[in-house]
Short mmCIF file of all heavy atoms in Angstrom, two decimals:
data_model
loop_
_atom_site.label_atom_id
_atom_site.label_comp_id
_atom_site.label_asym_id
_atom_site.label_seq_id
_atom_site.Cartn_x
_atom_site.Cartn_y
_atom_site.Cartn_z
N THR A 25 15.75 29.20 -27.13
CA THR A 25 16.42 30.48 -27.26
C THR A 25 15.75 31.34 -28.32
O THR A 25 15.39 30.84 -29.39
CB THR A 25 17.90 30.30 -27.62
OG1 THR A 25 18.54 29.49 -26.64
CG2 THR A 25 18.62 31.64 -27.68
N VAL A 26 15.57 32.60 -28.03
CA VAL A 26 15.05 33.56 -28.99
C VAL A 26 16.13 34.58 -29.30
O VAL A 26 16.92 34.95 -28.42
CB VAL A 26 13.76 34.24 -28.48
CG1 VAL A 26 14.04 35.07 -27.23
CG2 VAL A 26 13.13 35.09 -29.56
N TYR A 27 16.19 35.02 -30.56
CA TYR A 27 17.23 35.93 -31.02
C TYR A 27 16.62 37.22 -31.54
O TYR A 27 15.48 37.26 -31.99
CB TYR A 27 18.05 35.29 -32.14
CG TYR A 27 18.65 33.96 -31.78
CD1 TYR A 27 18.00 32.77 -32.10
CD2 TYR A 27 19.88 33.88 -31.14
CE1 TYR A 27 18.55 31.55 -31.78
CE2 TYR A 27 20.44 32.66 -30.82
CZ TYR A 27 19.77 31.50 -31.14
OH TYR A 27 20.32 30.28 -30.82
N LEU A 28 17.42 38.25 -31.51
CA LEU A 28 17.07 39.50 -32.15
C LEU A 28 18.27 39.94 -32.99
O LEU A 28 19.29 40.36 -32.44
CB LEU A 28 16.71 40.58 -31.13
CG LEU A 28 16.26 41.91 -31.74
CD1 LEU A 28 14.90 41.75 -32.42
CD2 LEU A 28 16.19 43.00 -30.67
N GLN A 29 18.14 39.81 -34.30
CA GLN A 29 19.17 40.27 -35.21
C GLN A 29 18.92 41.74 -35.53
O GLN A 29 17.85 42.09 -36.01
CB GLN A 29 19.16 39.45 -36.50
CG GLN A 29 20.18 39.89 -37.54
CD GLN A 29 21.60 39.65 -37.10
OE1 GLN A 29 21.91 38.57 -36.61
NE2 GLN A 29 22.47 40.63 -37.29
N MET A 30 19.90 42.57 -35.27
CA MET A 30 19.77 44.00 -35.46
C MET A 30 20.78 44.46 -36.50
O MET A 30 21.99 44.33 -36.29
CB MET A 30 19.97 44.75 -34.14
CG MET A 30 19.05 44.29 -33.02
SD MET A 30 19.23 45.27 -31.51
CE MET A 30 20.91 44.80 -31.04
N ASN A 31 20.29 44.98 -37.60
CA ASN A 31 21.13 45.45 -38.69
C ASN A 31 20.96 46.95 -38.88
O ASN A 31 19.98 47.54 -38.44
CB ASN A 31 20.79 44.73 -39.99
CG ASN A 31 20.99 43.24 -39.91
OD1 ASN A 31 21.91 42.76 -39.25
ND2 ASN A 31 20.13 42.49 -40.60
N SER A 32 21.92 47.54 -39.57
CA SER A 32 21.89 48.97 -39.88
C SER A 32 21.59 49.79 -38.64
O SER A 32 20.73 50.68 -38.63
CB SER A 32 20.84 49.25 -40.97
OG SER A 32 21.14 48.54 -42.15
N LEU A 33 22.32 49.51 -37.60
CA LEU A 33 22.05 50.15 -36.31
C LEU A 33 22.33 51.65 -36.36
O LEU A 33 23.25 52.11 -37.03
CB LEU A 33 22.89 49.49 -35.22
CG LEU A 33 22.38 48.13 -34.77
CD1 LEU A 33 23.45 47.38 -33.99
CD2 LEU A 33 21.12 48.30 -33.92
N LYS A 34 21.51 52.37 -35.62
CA LYS A 34 21.59 53.81 -35.53
C LYS A 34 21.84 54.22 -34.09
O LYS A 34 21.49 53.48 -33.17
CB LYS A 34 20.29 54.45 -36.03
CG LYS A 34 19.86 54.01 -37.41
CD LYS A 34 18.48 54.57 -37.75
CE LYS A 34 18.03 54.11 -39.12
NZ LYS A 34 16.67 54.63 -39.45
N PRO A 35 22.42 55.39 -33.87
CA PRO A 35 22.63 55.84 -32.49
C PRO A 35 21.36 55.84 -31.66
O PRO A 35 21.41 55.57 -30.45
CB PRO A 35 23.18 57.26 -32.67
CG PRO A 35 23.90 57.21 -33.97
CD PRO A 35 23.05 56.30 -34.84
N GLU A 36 20.22 56.11 -32.27
CA GLU A 36 18.97 56.12 -31.54
C GLU A 36 18.50 54.73 -31.12
O GLU A 36 17.52 54.61 -30.38
CB GLU A 36 17.86 56.82 -32.35
CG GLU A 36 17.73 56.32 -33.77
CD GLU A 36 18.47 57.20 -34.76
OE1 GLU A 36 19.63 57.57 -34.49
OE2 GLU A 36 17.89 57.54 -35.81
N ASP A 37 19.18 53.69 -31.58
CA ASP A 37 18.90 52.34 -31.12
C ASP A 37 19.56 52.05 -29.78
O ASP A 37 19.33 50.99 -29.19
CB ASP A 37 19.36 51.31 -32.15
CG ASP A 37 18.58 51.37 -33.44
OD1 ASP A 37 17.35 51.54 -33.39
OD2 ASP A 37 19.20 51.23 -34.52
N THR A 38 20.40 52.95 -29.32
CA THR A 38 21.07 52.76 -28.05
C THR A 38 20.05 52.65 -26.92
O THR A 38 19.21 53.53 -26.74
CB THR A 38 22.03 53.92 -27.77
OG1 THR A 38 23.08 53.92 -28.75
CG2 THR A 38 22.65 53.80 -26.39
N ALA A 39 20.13 51.57 -26.18
CA ALA A 39 19.17 51.31 -25.11
C ALA A 39 19.56 50.04 -24.38
O ALA A 39 20.43 49.29 -24.83
CB ALA A 39 17.75 51.17 -25.67
N VAL A 40 18.90 49.81 -23.27
CA VAL A 40 18.96 48.51 -22.63
C VAL A 40 17.87 47.65 -23.26
O VAL A 40 16.70 48.06 -23.29
CB VAL A 40 18.77 48.60 -21.11
CG1 VAL A 40 18.75 47.20 -20.48
CG2 VAL A 40 19.87 49.44 -20.49
N TYR A 41 18.23 46.50 -23.75
CA TYR A 41 17.29 45.60 -24.41
C TYR A 41 16.92 44.47 -23.46
O TYR A 41 17.79 43.82 -22.89
CB TYR A 41 17.89 45.04 -25.70
CG TYR A 41 17.89 46.05 -26.82
CD1 TYR A 41 18.74 47.14 -26.80
CD2 TYR A 41 17.02 45.91 -27.91
CE1 TYR A 41 18.74 48.09 -27.81
CE2 TYR A 41 17.01 46.84 -28.93
CZ TYR A 41 17.87 47.93 -28.88
OH TYR A 41 17.86 48.86 -29.89
N TYR A 42 15.63 44.25 -23.32
CA TYR A 42 15.11 43.26 -22.40
C TYR A 42 14.37 42.16 -23.14
O TYR A 42 13.62 42.43 -24.07
CB TYR A 42 14.14 43.89 -21.40
CG TYR A 42 14.76 44.92 -20.49
CD1 TYR A 42 14.72 46.27 -20.82
CD2 TYR A 42 15.35 44.55 -19.29
CE1 TYR A 42 15.27 47.22 -19.99
CE2 TYR A 42 15.90 45.50 -18.45
CZ TYR A 42 15.86 46.83 -18.80
OH TYR A 42 16.40 47.77 -17.97
N CYS A 43 14.56 40.95 -22.70
CA CYS A 43 13.75 39.82 -23.12
C CYS A 43 12.68 39.59 -22.08
O CYS A 43 12.93 39.71 -20.88
CB CYS A 43 14.63 38.58 -23.27
SG CYS A 43 13.76 37.07 -23.73
N ALA A 44 11.46 39.29 -22.52
CA ALA A 44 10.36 39.09 -21.60
C ALA A 44 9.44 37.98 -22.09
O ALA A 44 9.40 37.68 -23.28
CB ALA A 44 9.57 40.39 -21.44
N ALA A 45 8.70 37.40 -21.16
CA ALA A 45 7.80 36.29 -21.47
C ALA A 45 6.38 36.61 -21.05
O ALA A 45 6.15 37.20 -19.99
CB ALA A 45 8.28 35.02 -20.77
N SER A 46 5.44 36.20 -21.90
CA SER A 46 4.02 36.41 -21.65
C SER A 46 3.24 35.14 -21.94
O SER A 46 3.56 34.42 -22.88
CB SER A 46 3.49 37.56 -22.52
OG SER A 46 2.09 37.68 -22.41
N LYS A 47 2.21 34.90 -21.16
CA LYS A 47 1.35 33.75 -21.40
C LYS A 47 0.47 33.94 -22.63
O LYS A 47 -0.01 32.96 -23.20
CB LYS A 47 0.47 33.47 -20.17
CG LYS A 47 1.23 32.95 -18.97
CD LYS A 47 0.29 32.62 -17.84
CE LYS A 47 1.03 32.05 -16.65
NZ LYS A 47 0.11 31.71 -15.54
N THR A 48 0.25 35.17 -23.01
CA THR A 48 -0.54 35.48 -24.20
C THR A 48 0.29 36.26 -25.20
O THR A 48 1.27 36.91 -24.84
CB THR A 48 -1.80 36.28 -23.84
OG1 THR A 48 -1.41 37.52 -23.23
CG2 THR A 48 -2.68 35.51 -22.88
#
């Protein structure tokens, strides 16, 4: 599992957040 801790959030952080995998 990978996490993304987001602090001090701003309205401009509003978005759909995607997790993705790469071989490199």
Side-chain angles (χ1 to χ4, degrees):
T25 303
V26 64
Y27 305 95
L28 183 69
Q29 178 67 46
M30 305 184 293
N31 299 325
S32 301
L33 284 164
K34 306 173 182 179
E36 50 263 46
D37 294 319
T38 295
V40 177
Y41 284 71
Y42 297 93
C43 178
S46 173
K47 291 184 178 180
T48 60

